[in-house]
Amino acid sequence: MSATLIVAILFISALVSGIAVFFVKRDNTNSLKLILSFSGAYLFAITVLHLIPHVYEGSNTNPEVIGLYILGGFLFQLVLEQFSQGIEHGHIHHHSHQAFPLGIMASLCLHAFLEGMPLASGHQTQLVFGIAIHHIPAAFALGSLLLNTKLTKNKITIYLVIFAAMTPLGFMLSKGISAGEVGNIHQYFDKIMAVVIGIFLHISTTILFESGSADHHKFNKKKMIAVILGVAVSLLNFLFESHDHGSHQHNHEHPTEHHHDHNH
């Protein structure tokens, strides 16, 4: 997947979802909750199946140290949510804000920026769509919050554009780091990835344990189906990728053996 396509998918999905608050009733959020459940399950499975093995296999850092950075990312997201009020989970706040919610906007943008960083380390197709789907309820919740302020529609649109640009910017910076184009910071790339993994684990597990009911630990049938579908899609990606990788290795080894026999 080209860098241009990745940027386009991430930017457009977030922007369109945010602007949708101007046209869609915000009272009925059942569909958004199902999308959120699907994206949470998908992100969790992708993190476990792809990102965690990748960061451990491709790192020269002590595994215990990588584990500390993952834990640090998990706790860092916990701190961010004290400012974002859970909007990255699709929480829509109906109370009115007289002033612009600077803390919420800043923490949400930082979260979105960090989400784009794993896209430079492989598994782009799986992650791009997972993050894009995750941004649908998050951007809608942000747009709903901004509508409750005294901001004009033009200013709300500008802030939504800023939010939509954060994940593509994170991807582009991460791409530069992984290519060694940003000074010597590429040597810390595995640790940066570990922090992002911790953030993904916090976000996805929080989504999975939340529901639209008063009892946040109770799963309803529709949510369970959405979660199972999210895991199933990630597993299909995992199986197809493993099969393709195995076929590539087999095809690569066969010509070598043939050449060896020819010499004898």
Side-chain angles (χ1 to χ4, degrees):
M1 186 179 291
S2 69
T4 302
L5 183 58
I6 290 174
V7 169
I9 291 173
L10 294 173
F11 180 81
I12 293 172
S13 64
L15 182 60
V16 170
S17 302
I19 292 178
V21 295
F22 297 141
F23 312 101
V24 179
K25 291 183 179 180
R26 289 172 287 154
D27 296 332
N28 186 5
T29 59
N30 291 332
S31 297
L32 285 175
K33 289 174 183 175
L34 292 177
I35 292 173
L36 192 64
S37 298
F38 175 88
S39 68
Y42 184 86
L43 280 178
F44 178 76
I46 288 295
T47 301
V48 172
L49 294 173
H50 296 280
L51 297 184
I52 292 177
H54 183 79
V55 77
Y56 276 105
E57 288 177 1
S59 174
N60 294 322
T61 306
N62 189 300
E64 286 80 6
V65 174
I66 292 296
L68 286 174
Y69 277 92
I70 292 176
L71 180 60
F74 190 95
L75 296 175
F76 178 64
Q77 178 59 33
L78 186 64
V79 173
L80 280 182
E81 288 181 10
Q82 302 307 307
F83 299 95
S84 67
Q85 299 181 19
I87 286 183
E88 56 268 71
H89 304 150
H91 289 175
I92 297 177
H93 300 270
H94 295 286
H95 57 278
S96 296
H97 291 267
Q98 297 300 316
F100 174 72
L102 180 60
I104 294 177
M105 185 71 187
S107 59
L108 198 60
C109 284
L110 178 58
H111 166 79
F113 180 84
L114 292 172
E115 273 193 326
M117 301 201 76
L119 294 172
S121 65
H123 315 299
Q124 291 178 336
T125 302
Q126 301 97 318
L127 265 177
V128 166
F129 290 107
I131 294 172
I133 293 170
H134 167 60
H135 279 172
I136 292 173
F140 190 86
L142 176 61
S144 299
L145 175 66
L146 294 176
L147 271 182
N148 288 329
T149 66
K150 293 183 178 181
L151 294 172
T152 64
K153 285 189 176 182
N154 287 338
K155 288 185 178 180
I156 291 174
T157 302
I158 291 172
Y159 286 120
L160 289 173
V161 167
I162 293 172
F163 170 70
M166 287 298 105
T167 302
L169 286 175
F171 162 62
M172 295 307 294
L173 175 62
S174 180
K175 187 176 174 64
I177 291 173
S178 62
E181 297 172 359
V182 186
N184 294 322
I185 198 173
H186 65 277
Q187 62 185 313
Y188 304 108
F189 189 62
D190 55 346
K191 298 180 180 66
I192 295 172
M193 285 297 304
V195 171
V196 176
I197 286 171
I199 291 173
F200 276 9
L201 286 175
H202 187 286
I203 289 290
S204 58
T205 52
T206 301
I207 291 172
L208 289 176
F209 284 111
E210 288 181 343
S211 70
S213 63
D215 181 4
H216 292 309
H217 298 283
K218 183 179 180 180
F219 273 68
N220 57 54
K221 291 181 180 179
K222 289 182 179 179
K223 180 176 179 180
M224 180 64 81
I225 292 172
V227 169
I228 292 173
L229 284 175
V231 173
V233 172
S234 66
L235 281 173
L236 286 174
N237 285 329
F238 178 74
L239 293 173
F240 279 122
E241 185 178 88
S242 299
H243 175 73
D244 291 342
H245 183 68
S247 299
H248 175 73
Q249 282 188 327
H250 177 75
N251 292 335
H252 180 71
E253 289 171 359
H254 181 72
T256 303
E257 292 174 357
H258 177 76
H259 179 69
H260 179 73
D261 293 341
H262 179 71
N263 287 338
H264 281 284

